[in-house]
Amino acid sequence: MEIDAFLFDLDGVITDSSTAHFKAWKAVANSYGIDLPDSLEVSLKGISRRNSVEKIVQYANIDLSEDAKQAFMDTKNAMYQDLVAEYNPDNLLPGVQTILEFARAHSIKIGLVSASKNAVPLIEALKIKAFFDVIVDPAKHPSKPAPDLFLAAAKRLGVAPENCVAFEDAIAGVQAIKAAGMTAIGIGERLDADYVFADLTAAHAMLETHV
Ligand code: BG6
Ligand code: MG
């Protein structure tokens, strides 16, 4: 396969921040008397803050005004930011540094395709921002599972979607990659991707044999 770009999701692929997202949602929901079961975590992965609060409201079967939803999101975001406040390069998941250096060495372009509005400060804290040729702004495109964020990254990099390999830990993210016509690498388990690996170390080992 010809590979022109690697497109990375952030939360749960580059660093273990998806647990922090869910922990924060759970805590805020609790203060509203809602008990979020752990089984809901998987359906909140990869989707925007707004879509997450809508899903929670639907799950709990409650009526929240727009102001109350905004307050719910703001409190969750403040909690999330506290949880990742101390993140540093030690919080990179296995294989991240290696695969980024591998891409550089093979002139494979690198894009960040995260749904998170906290992505830029987080990759700065992780000290990997300089690797990225493009960072897509999630506020400007429809949320995953729509393909728009991935397609925007390919367009800005000047590469064809079919020559992009994208990495995702979320069901919504894998759906977005496939809808974009790219090769999907799932990180984790139970993902309907072209390949599924436990982490980027294993993904790198496979990709090394393809370039
Ligand atoms: C995704 C996470 O990367 O970003 C979701 O998987 C999160 O859990 C989403 O809701 C939006 O993040 P933020 O930081 O903009 O609230
Ligand atoms: Mg993710």
mmCIF file of all heavy atoms in Angstrom, residues 9-13 46 168-170, ligand 2:
data_model
loop_
_atom_site.group_PDB
_atom_site.id
_atom_site.type_symbol
_atom_site.label_atom_id
_atom_site.label_comp_id
_atom_site.label_asym_id
_atom_site.label_seq_id
_atom_site.Cartn_x
_atom_site.Cartn_y
_atom_site.Cartn_z
ATOM 1 N N ASP A 9 -5.894 9.982 15.950
ATOM 2 C CA ASP A 9 -6.780 10.438 17.007
ATOM 3 C C ASP A 9 -5.862 10.677 18.218
ATOM 4 O O ASP A 9 -4.732 10.169 18.255
ATOM 5 C CB ASP A 9 -7.814 9.339 17.292
ATOM 6 C CG ASP A 9 -8.645 9.648 18.501
ATOM 7 O OD1 ASP A 9 -9.130 10.789 18.605
ATOM 8 O OD2 ASP A 9 -8.822 8.755 19.357
ATOM 9 N N LEU A 10 -6.338 11.437 19.185
ATOM 10 C CA LEU A 10 -5.492 11.729 20.351
ATOM 11 C C LEU A 10 -5.888 10.895 21.584
ATOM 12 O O LEU A 10 -5.119 10.049 22.049
ATOM 13 C CB LEU A 10 -5.588 13.231 20.682
ATOM 14 C CG LEU A 10 -4.918 13.683 21.980
ATOM 15 C CD1 LEU A 10 -3.414 13.454 21.957
ATOM 16 C CD2 LEU A 10 -5.206 15.166 22.228
ATOM 17 N N ASP A 11 -7.107 11.160 22.070
ATOM 18 C CA ASP A 11 -7.543 10.533 23.323
ATOM 19 C C ASP A 11 -7.670 9.015 23.156
ATOM 20 O O ASP A 11 -8.473 8.543 22.354
ATOM 21 C CB ASP A 11 -8.903 11.112 23.753
ATOM 22 C CG ASP A 11 -8.844 12.616 24.004
ATOM 23 O OD1 ASP A 11 -7.942 13.056 24.729
ATOM 24 O OD2 ASP A 11 -9.703 13.346 23.460
ATOM 25 N N GLY A 12 -6.858 8.277 23.886
ATOM 26 C CA GLY A 12 -6.935 6.819 23.826
ATOM 27 C C GLY A 12 -6.027 6.189 22.784
ATOM 28 O O GLY A 12 -5.912 4.971 22.708
ATOM 29 N N VAL A 13 -5.371 7.028 21.961
ATOM 30 C CA VAL A 13 -4.434 6.509 20.953
ATOM 31 C C VAL A 13 -3.020 6.991 21.289
ATOM 32 O O VAL A 13 -2.061 6.211 21.310
ATOM 33 C CB VAL A 13 -4.836 6.965 19.521
ATOM 34 C CG1 VAL A 13 -3.722 6.670 18.522
ATOM 35 C CG2 VAL A 13 -6.117 6.255 19.101
ATOM 36 N N GLY A 46 -14.794 9.396 21.302
ATOM 37 C CA GLY A 46 -14.659 9.914 19.931
ATOM 38 C C GLY A 46 -15.672 10.964 19.537
ATOM 39 O O GLY A 46 -15.491 11.646 18.545
ATOM 40 N N GLU A 168 -7.382 4.972 15.453
ATOM 41 C CA GLU A 168 -8.527 5.327 16.296
ATOM 42 C C GLU A 168 -8.787 4.275 17.351
ATOM 43 O O GLU A 168 -8.632 3.087 17.093
ATOM 44 C CB GLU A 168 -9.793 5.422 15.420
ATOM 45 C CG GLU A 168 -10.156 6.800 14.953
ATOM 46 C CD GLU A 168 -10.673 7.715 16.068
ATOM 47 O OE1 GLU A 168 -10.885 7.252 17.209
ATOM 48 O OE2 GLU A 168 -10.852 8.897 15.775
ATOM 49 N N ASP A 169 -9.229 4.731 18.528
ATOM 50 C CA ASP A 169 -9.636 3.773 19.574
ATOM 51 C C ASP A 169 -11.148 3.747 19.747
ATOM 52 O O ASP A 169 -11.649 2.975 20.563
ATOM 53 C CB ASP A 169 -9.011 4.156 20.924
ATOM 54 C CG ASP A 169 -9.609 5.442 21.459
ATOM 55 O OD1 ASP A 169 -9.758 6.398 20.667
ATOM 56 O OD2 ASP A 169 -9.951 5.494 22.651
ATOM 57 N N ALA A 170 -11.874 4.606 18.994
ATOM 58 C CA ALA A 170 -13.319 4.729 19.210
ATOM 59 C C ALA A 170 -14.113 4.149 18.045
ATOM 60 O O ALA A 170 -13.687 4.256 16.884
ATOM 61 C CB ALA A 170 -13.680 6.205 19.382
HETATM 62 MG MG MG B 2 -10.013 8.448 20.906
#
